[in-house]
Amino acid sequence: MMRVLEAQAPAKQTATDTISTLSGRLASATLLEDRRAAILGLRSFAKDYPASVASGSLRGLIACLVKDAEDVDTLKVVLETLLGLFNPNEQSPEASEEIALWLADEFTMRQDNLTLLLDLLETPDFFSRLYSLQLIQAIFTARPERTQECILAAPLGTPRLVATLDDPRDAVHTAGLVLLNDLSQASTELQKLFVFEDAFKKIFSMIEADGSLTQGGIIVQDCLSLLANLVRFNSSNQTTFRETGGVAKFASLLPGNKKPKKTRTSEDEDDWVSPQADKNVWGLLAIIRMFLVRGSTSTLSNQNAFYKHGLLQQVLNMAFDPSTAAPIKVEALNTCADMIRGNGPLQEAFAYLQVTPFYTSAVTNGTKSPNGIMTVHVIEALLSLALTPAGIDFFDARFAACECILAYCFRHRGIRLHFLNRAIDGHKRGEDETPNVLTTLITGSPGSQVVDPYRVWFAAVLAFHLIFDDAEAKDTLMQVSEGDAESGEEVVTCIQTLTANLIASLQLGEDERIAIAYFMLLSGWLFEDQAAVNDFLGEASSLQSLVQNALRPGSDHTIVKGMSAILLGIIYEFSTKDSPVPRAELQPILTSKLGREKYLDVISQLRQHPLVRDFEIFPRDGMSGGPLPDVFFDETFVDFLKDNFSRLSRAIDREPHMEVQISHKGVDRNELDALNGELAEKKSAIEKLQAELLTAEQRLNQEQADHRRTHESLQSQVNTIKRINEDLHRNHDTEVDKIRREHRQSILDTENKLNLQINALNNKIKQAEKDTSLAVNKAKQEGDEKFREASKVRTDLERRLSEAHRSRQEALETIRSFEATQRRTKEEIAIVRQTISTLEVNLRESEAQIDKLKHEREGLEKEVEKHKGVKGDLEKKVQDQTWKVKDMEEKLGKAEKEVKEKEEARAAAQTELDDLFVVLGDLEDKRSRDKKRLKELGEEVSDAEDDDDEDGEEDEDDEAEDEE
């Protein structure tokens, strides 16, 4: 029995067949419940069989977004199914990245499909807004460029997306925030549109609602990411941010200002700090630096705005606050450097700011603020931070402090000279309690250099920037010397002292960073400065040490060997025959002891070293993982080395007698261009004059040849004229007699012709006079006839007008009779009475038209009488009058027609009134019959009803009499 039942059971249905059945049901269902049931079934298969569901029902699901948009439950199921297709199970056999691409193409290739999702953001339903945002996010992940294009093309696309940030539900505005972050990363157009929709204000509102920087969490980080996307490399948005009060928002968010905190349930949590607080503050500082990109057109305006709102002092205080974390200190110092770099007024004002130093024990000349805290000028604090020996943990902060000082001196010659003079004065007095750049370089701290080589390195970098490409600064620093000649001490110049420290560092095997620091400073100092080169060559033994260091065996110490060769090349390039070691003696040292090939090899290895070749891509921080950071070179020095590498490579090949002439004063380019222009003009003028001279000579030769030919031609013509003159004298008398006879004969012929023409003209004149008189008489007769015809027309017109007058009188009488009949109508037929009153108004208008026609007739009569005496224009005026008469006849015909139509309308109204009376009579008869029947049946009829019947009969009698 069981086998029989199993054999009769239907075949087991597969998942593919089920999906196909559900897809067909979704496509053909007309009822909402049927579609919802089909979608529920498809949702259960979406994650496990995404390809099957998408191929069979994707367009049907999208169509449901339109059909069932008002049904929240169905809409939710549809969106969940679509999300399941974008995010299938990893174990699904149909899971593939191509499915997401295909689904995204279905939405992005048709603008309407993506617009549907954007339209759903207008609905207040939680799931509709959340799932729509997640779907757009999934589509953007698969097809970012097309999605951006569709959002740009969609009406109200960006306003709806930005409006999601105002949603009070965390899930919705978080999803909107993430989507806006992704959309704004690579599209400048979307960035501008988001800002136009007041995105800045919404972002700051979300930050404050989440607890600001100190108490905010991941939401604040996402808001800062979106803010960074909107302002990065976008001058337009930065200007909008600056003009809409965004800088003041920065000041209120950063530590040091009062700002609202997120409400907590316990008073103990008022000072609660989020674990993300440091990341939030660091992120905001990084955003501020995006406004201060070097070379940007809006950087100067942003710097002024930040300084105006006190951000510079606020960020400095945060950098020197002991409670601030180290990464934030570094970012704050870098931000301060960006705020003042290249802005002269701010660089000058920066030196007057005061802060609390890191190392209060090292600074005793500060001043106390009203709250008892020691404060010093910011430059002193920065020097203390950069030049005070410290561990590797403080490297980033020291490097940032050095960058801040360099920004203070950046492209401001006055500040550089002032800073250098202060350093020189402090070094000479020896009473400067703040670490001194020059003192650090000249004396140093041998005990600490092994542990902290960056103390000398930072001092060398600062000195390098102070004198680089500045002849006056180099001359000022050259005046520094050690030793008192009056006391019998040996005087050692600053260059020689620095060189001695360099040689000692190489010989003692100290950290390479110390030697590299001295190499950088000496290379920048000696370059294009013959006086400095001569000062260096005053201690000739240094040359031998540099050559020996460049010849050091082994493949290590590539940088130090290369820097030694670079310094030797600079010395030879800018030395002279008057140098303490003349060029003729320097060349053998380089070519014989060092060797040309070795020289080129070591500087080439330096150029190809990763720290030089890939300098831009190496991080310059303390996170190298070794005992010391991998920071060896300064950025400006690397650029200097790369720019002059070719020149230094060729220096060894220059002959000793070929000296380089250097003029620190330089040449005025404008004067040089002007002189070149004048020279070119003079050359062109000379060439032009030479061409004109050659042309003039050719023209002179041509004119001389023409003159000779003309002279010969004229001579031949004179001879010809002489012969002709003789012939004319011989034939003159004969010709004169012949001409006289011909002249007399022509006069006679002309007189005869003229007499004949005069007679013919007289005859024509007489005939014309006769024809003219006849034409005048004929025209006069025709004019009289036309006048008589006009008179007849006028008579006929008067007759017609009288007939029209009689017709009007008859119409008036008819109207009066209609009015009398109208007064007898009852109030129950108010509609008919209104129609009749309308007809009366129309009739009065007709009377007005008739009166108007009568006035026109009188005017025409006067016009006819006035123009009786004018015969010349009679024909034309009669014709005009004839047309006017025709117009009057047409108007009279229209008036008569309108009167006739009104009479017919009145007759129709009267007929309708008669019909109503007949109907009323029938109703009264029926009522009377009903009463009689009631009486016969024994029913009582009230007297009031009888009275009503009698009144009705009397009213009918009165109406009958009125009709008679």
Side-chain angles (χ1 to χ4, degrees):
M1 187 66 182
M2 293 296 296
R3 293 179 180 177
V4 173
L5 292 175
E6 290 177 357
Q8 293 178 354
K12 187 176 181 181
Q13 192 174 19
T14 63
T16 305
D17 296 337
T18 305
I19 293 172
S20 178
T21 303
L22 293 173
S23 300
R25 187 180 303 171
L26 175 62
S28 60
T30 57
L31 296 179
L32 175 62
E33 290 76 7
D34 295 341
R35 288 196 297 272
R36 186 187 302 164
I39 297 169
L40 286 171
L42 291 171
R43 184 183 65 176
S44 61
F45 289 100
K47 285 186 171 292
D48 294 328
Y49 301 94
S52 301
V53 175
S55 61
S57 61
L58 177 59
R59 295 187 178 178
L61 292 171
I62 296 175
C64 288
L65 296 177
V66 181
K67 295 179 183 178
D68 307 325
E70 296 181 357
D71 186 73
V72 176
D73 297 333
T74 304
L75 199 61
K76 175 187 174 184
V77 179
V78 173
L79 294 174
E80 288 176 348
T81 306
L82 292 173
L83 283 174
L85 296 177
F86 274 102
N87 302 290
N89 293 329
E90 296 180 357
Q91 296 79 14
S92 172
E94 297 183 358
S96 173
E97 295 181 357
E98 296 180 356
I99 297 176
L101 296 176
W102 181 66
L103 293 171
D105 288 339
E106 186 66 26
F107 279 94
T108 56
M109 296 299 289
R110 295 187 60 185
Q111 177 67 42
D112 294 341
N113 291 342
L114 193 62
T115 304
L116 289 174
L117 299 179
L118 294 172
D119 292 340
L120 292 178
L121 298 178
E122 291 289 336
T123 62
D125 180 62
F126 171 76
F127 291 104
S128 298
R129 304 193 78 184
L130 178 61
Y131 291 159
S132 298
L133 290 171
Q134 292 176 352
L135 267 177
I136 298 174
Q137 178 75 40
I139 296 169
F140 174 79
T141 303
R143 297 294 187 190
E145 295 181 359
R146 291 182 185 174
T147 306
Q148 290 174 348
E149 293 173 359
C150 291
I151 292 174
L152 285 171
L156 300 177
T158 53
R160 289 170 177 170
L161 288 174
V162 177
T164 58
L165 299 180
D166 293 329
D167 197 298
R169 294 161 292 195
D170 291 344
V172 176
H173 68 237
T174 302
L177 184 61
V178 173
L179 178 58
L180 291 176
N181 254 318
D182 293 340
L183 290 173
S184 60
Q185 283 184 356
S187 176
T188 306
E189 293 80 6
L190 283 177
Q191 292 172 6
K192 293 180 180 179
L193 290 175
F194 291 160
V195 171
F196 183 76
E197 299 299 332
D198 205 8
F200 288 141
K201 181 179 179 181
K202 301 179 189 299
I203 290 172
F204 284 121
S205 298
M206 291 183 66
I207 292 175
E208 294 175 358
D210 198 55
S212 192
L213 300 182
T214 56
Q215 297 180 349
I218 190 65
I219 297 297
V220 174
Q221 291 187 21
D222 290 338
C223 289
L224 294 176
S225 298
L226 177 57
L227 184 59
N229 291 338
L230 295 179
V231 301
R232 183 186 291 111
F233 305 124
N234 196 320
S235 299
S236 175
N237 285 356
Q238 290 181 11
T239 302
T240 303
F241 182 88
R242 191 173 62 246
E243 294 175 351
T244 54
V247 180
K249 289 289 187 181
F250 277 165
S252 64
L253 288 176
L254 285 174
N257 268 6
K258 295 181 179 180
K259 49 189 177 298
K261 296 183 177 180
K262 193 173 182 180
T263 304
R264 300 289 170 180
T265 57
S266 175
E267 294 181 357
D268 296 336
E269 296 181 352
D270 287 344
D271 295 331
W272 175 83
V273 177
S274 171
Q276 305 291 332
D278 290 344
K279 291 184 179 180
N280 296 338
V281 175
W282 188 92
L284 185 59
L285 291 174
I287 292 173
I288 293 176
R289 295 187 66 188
M290 293 178 185
F291 286 83
L292 307 170
V293 177
R294 191 181 305 185
S296 177
T297 56
S298 59
T299 297
L300 185 63
S301 301
N302 295 334
Q303 288 174 331
N304 294 330
F306 290 155
Y307 180 77
K308 180 180 178 182
H309 287 80
L311 275 175
L312 181 58
Q313 181 68 65
Q314 188 175 351
V315 175
L316 270 178
N317 294 337
M318 183 168 51
F320 286 92
D321 188 351
S323 62
T324 303
I328 299 178
K329 291 179 185 290
V330 175
E331 193 67 15
L333 289 173
N334 288 327
T335 304
C336 291
D338 292 338
M339 280 190 191
I340 63 173
R341 184 180 288 110
N343 192 323
L346 296 188
Q347 289 171 281
E348 296 170 2
F350 180 71
Y352 295 97
L353 301 179
Q354 293 188 348
V355 295
T356 302
F358 282 169
Y359 308 104
T360 56
S361 59
V363 181
T364 60
N365 60 344
T367 59
K368 289 189 176 181
S369 60
N371 56 5
I373 299 176
M374 180 70 69
T375 60
V376 297
H377 288 92
V378 63
I379 301 300
E380 298 179 10
L382 292 172
L383 284 172
S384 299
L385 175 60
L387 302 181
T388 300
I392 191 174
D393 295 339
F394 273 88
F395 173 79
D396 291 336
R398 297 172 67 189
F399 191 89
C402 182
E403 287 294 322
C404 207
I405 297 173
L406 295 179
Y408 165 65
C409 302
F410 183 75
R411 291 183 182 176
H412 199 303
R413 192 164 178 267
I415 291 179
R416 290 202 306 269
L417 291 176
H418 173 73
F419 190 98
L420 182 61
N421 289 325
R422 286 289 301 273
I424 293 173
D425 293 341
H427 172 69
K428 288 181 177 180
R429 290 196 306 267
E431 299 176 356
D432 197 349
E433 298 176 354
T434 304
N436 188 291
V437 173
L438 193 56
T439 303
T440 303
L441 290 172
I442 292 176
T443 61
S445 300
S448 64
Q449 287 179 359
V450 177
V451 179
D452 181 23
Y454 282 104
R455 180 172 182 268
V456 175
W457 192 90
F458 286 128
V461 169
L462 291 175
F464 172 80
H465 282 268
L466 290 176
I467 65 174
F468 181 69
D469 202 16
D470 190 340
E472 183 178 356
K474 292 179 180 180
D475 293 339
T476 302
L477 190 56
M478 281 184 62
Q479 305 304 319
V480 179
S481 61
E482 297 293 319
D484 187 2
E486 296 179 355
S487 303
E489 298 178 358
E490 182 183 1
V491 177
V492 182
T493 63
C494 182
I495 290 179
Q496 294 173 357
T497 303
L498 297 179
T499 305
N501 292 341
L502 169 62
I503 300 302
S505 175
L506 293 174
Q507 293 176 350
L508 295 175
E510 295 179 344
D511 191 277
E512 288 186 346
R513 294 168 181 82
I514 299 175
I516 291 172
Y518 284 115
F519 274 126
M520 288 192 298
L521 177 57
L522 289 173
S523 298
W525 193 345
L526 301 184
F527 190 82
E528 292 186 346
D529 192 335
Q530 293 175 346
V533 171
N534 293 338
D535 191 347
F536 181 91
L537 292 175
E539 187 65 35
S541 61
S542 302
L543 290 174
Q544 300 298 331
S545 299
L546 293 176
V547 171
Q548 292 176 3
N549 188 68
L551 292 173
R552 183 184 299 182
S555 59
D556 54 348
H557 305 290
T558 304
I559 297 177
V560 174
K561 290 190 291 186
M563 292 296 293
S564 299
I566 290 291
L567 186 56
L568 288 171
I570 292 174
I571 293 171
Y572 179 70
E573 176 75 2
F574 298 104
S575 62
T576 64
K577 66 178 181 178
D578 300 325
S579 298
V581 181
R583 288 176 60 84
E585 298 179 10
L586 278 175
Q587 188 185 33
I589 297 175
L590 293 178
T591 56
S592 300
K593 294 185 177 181
L594 180 61
R596 180 179 181 277
E597 291 75 12
K598 184 63 175 179
Y599 172 81
L600 296 177
D601 180 59
V602 293
I603 64 172
S604 297
Q605 290 182 15
L606 173 65
R607 179 63 180 84
Q608 296 300 322
H609 195 280
L611 291 175
V612 177
R613 182 192 60 203
D614 303 330
F615 177 82
E616 292 79 6
I617 63 176
F618 269 90
R620 305 177 68 194
D621 51 32
M623 304 300 293
S624 61
L628 290 175
D630 291 333
V631 178
F632 291 83
F633 293 102
D634 175 70
E635 180 181 4
T636 304
F637 176 78
V638 172
D639 294 337
F640 158 78
L641 178 61
K642 292 179 178 179
D643 292 341
N644 295 280
F645 179 77
S646 298
R647 181 177 182 178
L648 296 176
S649 299
R650 296 190 302 268
I652 196 171
D653 296 326
R654 192 184 299 275
E655 295 297 329
H657 63 276
M658 299 291 295
E659 297 182 2
V660 178
Q661 299 298 324
I662 301 173
S663 175
H664 293 298
K665 295 181 179 180
V667 179
D668 190 343
R669 184 57 184 269
N670 294 330
E671 293 181 1
L672 180 61
D673 293 341
L675 291 174
N676 290 332
E678 292 178 2
L679 179 61
E681 290 177 359
K682 290 180 179 180
K683 287 183 179 179
S684 62
I686 292 173
E687 293 175 355
K688 184 177 180 181
L689 289 174
Q690 290 176 350
E692 290 178 354
L693 179 61
L694 180 61
T695 305
E697 290 177 353
Q698 293 176 354
R699 191 183 300 114
L700 179 61
N701 295 332
Q702 183 67 28
E703 288 178 354
Q704 288 177 353
D706 294 341
H707 178 69
R708 286 193 297 270
R709 287 193 297 269
T710 304
H711 180 71
E712 293 174 357
S713 177
L714 290 175
Q715 188 66 36
S716 63
Q717 289 178 5
V718 168
N719 295 332
T720 304
I721 290 170
K722 285 180 180 180
R723 290 193 301 271
I724 292 171
N725 190 23
E726 292 174 358
D727 294 339
L728 288 175
H729 279 294
R730 287 192 299 269
N731 299 327
H732 178 65
D733 295 336
T734 305
E735 292 293 333
V736 168
D737 294 339
K738 184 178 179 181
I739 290 171
R740 285 177 179 174
R741 288 194 299 269
E742 290 177 354
H743 182 62
R744 284 196 296 270
Q745 184 62 38
S746 63
I747 290 174
L748 292 174
D749 294 339
T750 303
E751 288 178 353
N752 293 331
K753 290 179 181 180
L754 290 174
N755 290 331
L756 293 173
Q757 290 177 359
I758 290 169
N759 292 331
L761 289 172
N762 289 332
N763 293 332
K764 288 181 180 180
I765 290 170
K766 290 178 181 180
Q767 185 64 34
E769 288 177 352
K770 290 180 182 180
D771 294 341
T772 302
S773 61
L774 292 174
V776 169
N777 293 331
K778 184 177 180 181
K780 184 176 182 182
Q781 291 176 359
E782 291 177 354
D784 293 338
E785 290 177 359
K786 290 180 179 178
F787 178 73
R788 287 193 294 272
E789 290 176 359
S791 300
K792 291 179 181 179
V793 171
R794 182 175 64 81
T795 305
D796 187 33
L797 179 61
E798 290 176 353
R799 179 178 60 77
R800 291 183 179 181
L801 288 174
S802 62
E803 290 177 357
H805 183 66
R806 286 194 299 274
S807 299
R808 184 180 66 81
Q809 294 295 333
E810 293 175 357
L812 290 174
E813 292 176 359
T814 304
I815 290 169
R816 291 191 187 94
S817 63
F818 284 156
E819 289 177 351
T821 303
Q822 183 184 4
R823 285 192 297 271
R824 291 192 297 268
T825 57
K826 297 295 183 179
E827 295 179 356
E828 293 83 5
I829 53 174
I831 299 174
V832 177
R833 181 182 299 170
Q834 184 176 3
T835 304
I836 295 171
S837 63
T838 304
L839 293 174
E840 289 178 354
V841 174
N842 293 335
L843 287 174
R844 283 194 292 273
E845 292 177 356
S846 300
E847 290 178 1
Q849 292 178 356
I850 293 171
D851 293 337
K852 184 177 180 182
L853 292 174
K854 184 175 180 181
H855 291 305
E856 290 181 358
R857 180 183 64 79
E858 293 175 356
L860 290 173
E861 290 176 352
K862 292 178 181 179
E863 227 178 289
V864 171
E865 292 174 359
K866 180 178 179 181
H867 294 84
K868 281 183 180 180
V870 184
K871 291 185 178 181
D873 300 330
L874 183 60
E875 182 178 358
K876 182 177 179 180
K877 293 187 181 299
V878 169
Q879 186 177 2
D880 294 338
Q881 296 297 332
T882 303
W883 285 110
K884 289 182 179 179
V885 169
K886 289 182 179 180
D887 292 339
M888 290 175 61
E889 290 176 354
E890 291 177 359
K891 291 179 180 179
L892 287 172
K894 290 181 180 179
E896 292 174 356
K897 185 177 180 181
E898 289 178 358
V899 170
K900 185 176 179 181
E901 290 175 355
K902 291 178 176 61
E903 290 176 355
E904 291 175 356
R906 188 182 296 278
Q910 186 63 37
T911 303
E912 185 177 355
L913 182 62
D914 295 337
D915 295 337
L916 289 173
F917 285 149
V918 172
V919 172
L920 289 172
D922 293 340
L923 291 173
E924 290 295 334
D925 293 340
K926 183 178 179 182
R927 185 180 180 189
S928 299
R929 289 195 299 271
D930 291 339
K931 288 181 179 180
K932 290 179 180 180
R933 189 179 301 165
L934 289 171
K935 290 180 180 180
E936 292 175 357
L937 294 173
E939 296 291 337
E940 294 183 358
V941 180
S942 63
D943 296 336
E945 293 178 352
D946 294 338
D947 293 339
D948 292 339
D949 295 339
E950 292 175 0
D951 292 341
E953 292 175 359
E954 290 177 359
D955 292 339
E956 291 177 359
D957 294 339
D958 293 339
E959 291 175 358
E961 291 175 1
D962 292 339
E963 290 177 357
E964 292 176 358

